[in-house]
Structures are given as structure tokens and as C-alpha cells.
Amino acid sequence: MWRDQVLDWFSAVGPFAIVLSILINTFISILAFMPSVFLTAANLAFFGFWLGTLISFLGESIGAVVSFWLYRKGIKRFAPDALMKNKWLMKLQDTGGREAFLLVLALRLFPFAPSGLVTLAGATSKISLVGFAVASTIGKIPALLLEAFSVYQVLQWNTAGKVILALVALGVVVLVVKGRLGR
């Protein structure tokens, strides 16, 4: 649904589709809770695998930097308690320099760290905007390549795509069952 809507928008704006994709990705990054997988799927379908992956990477990197700047300007004042749930995110708040750079890089490489929380924690730390931008961008490379490959396989609906989709479905079922049994 979302992917098809974005594909319609890309077709409508023609040569400005790349700019639109980056703007949408930036908006998703600012929201911090919305997954960007539908946009990656649209980018791959519209631009092809390599160009679509590059555009998704640029959008996510630019989005993270814009979000960092906005969060640093205002959100850290209003939501400091949101970071107290994870020891790595709490540690990032108290660090700066090389240590903060390496923590942002490690958190971006870790596939289950919520991107929005990593950005928020970085914004409340002592890391510079440039340090955050570099660490975040480098850390996004492997995760985005994995996401793009997975989405592409699902879009192609070949054996690898079916296996990936089945594993995701199984993971969701396990989480739901675990959640129900844990009550």
C-alpha cells in the first residue's frame, strides 16, 4: 500500500523522484518510530537495486543528521527519560569524542537498536554533529545493504524471498506467542 503510493508519487514528480525519496526518508527519521522498509522497497522497484539502495542510504544518512540536529535543539529537553531503558543508550549520553563515535557506530551496526533512539541518545551526548554524521553513516552501510537485499528478494518472490518472508513471519508469531504467555 505505502510502497505503491510512493511509486505513484515518484512517477508524478519524474526527475525529482530522488529528491522526494530523500525528503520522505528525512521525515521518517524525524518521526523516529516509523520503519522505512516500504520506502526502500519503493526505491528498489523504481530505481533498480543499486541506485535504489544508494538513494535509500543517502536518505537515511541525511535523515539521521537532520534528526540529530533537531533533537539536539529541542527534544532532549522534553524526553530525557526515554533513554533510561537501555544501558548502551544511557552510556552514550555520558560520553564524548572517540568513545561516543564508537558507541554510535556500534549501535548503528547492531540490527535491533531502534534508529530513532540511537539518534536521540547521540543528540543528548557530547558527540559533535560531524562525529555523529560520520559514525552513523558508516554504521548504516551494512544494515541498509542487508535490508535492501532482503526487500529485493521478497520483491522478486524467488526462493530467498520466500525464506526471508517465512522467517519474518515466524519471528512475529514467536513474539506474539511469547507476549501472550508472558502476561
Side-chain angles (χ1 to χ4, degrees):
M1 178 184 123
W2 281 99
R3 180 187 74 110
D4 295 334
Q5 180 62 55
V6 172
L7 286 171
D8 289 344
W9 292 343
F10 286 172
S11 293
V13 298
F16 298 103
I18 292 172
V19 173
L20 178 60
S21 176
I22 291 171
L23 288 173
I24 293 170
N25 223 325
T26 300
F27 182 72
I28 290 170
S29 294
I30 292 168
L31 291 179
F33 62 85
M34 187 176 193
S36 63
V37 69
F38 74 89
L39 184 58
T40 300
N43 285 340
L44 296 176
F46 193 82
F47 300 106
F49 181 80
W50 290 109
L51 183 57
T53 300
L54 177 62
I55 293 166
S56 290
F57 173 73
L58 290 172
E60 287 198 20
S61 297
I62 291 168
V65 171
V66 169
S67 298
F68 174 89
W69 184 81
L70 288 173
Y71 294 174
R72 181 159 277 180
K73 290 293 180 188
I75 292 178
K76 80 176 185 178
R77 226 180 311 168
F78 302 110
D81 296 338
L83 304 171
M84 298 304 167
K85 297 175 184 164
N86 183 294
K87 69 178 182 177
W88 294 104
L89 296 176
M90 287 173 35
K91 182 167 176 52
L92 181 56
Q93 287 183 45
D94 297 326
T95 62
R98 181 177 180 206
E99 187 179 13
F101 179 92
L102 292 173
L103 275 170
V104 168
L105 179 63
L107 287 168
R108 285 288 189 232
L109 289 170
F110 185 66
F112 303 110
S115 186
L117 281 181
V118 174
T119 303
L120 182 60
T124 61
S125 75
K126 298 171 184 119
I127 193 171
S128 70
L129 176 66
V130 171
F132 176 83
V134 172
S136 180
T137 300
I138 291 170
K140 283 184 174 289
I141 294 170
L144 189 61
L145 285 173
L146 181 62
E147 178 182 312
F149 175 75
S150 299
V151 168
Y152 184 76
Q153 294 303 318
V154 170
L155 289 174
Q156 297 301 310
W157 200 242
N158 57 23
T159 303
K162 292 173 187 175
V163 169
I164 290 167
L165 201 55
L167 289 174
V168 169
L170 179 64
V172 169
V173 168
V174 167
L175 289 174
V176 168
V177 169
K178 239 180 141 173
R180 297 238 181 235
L181 296 176
R183 290 184 186 185

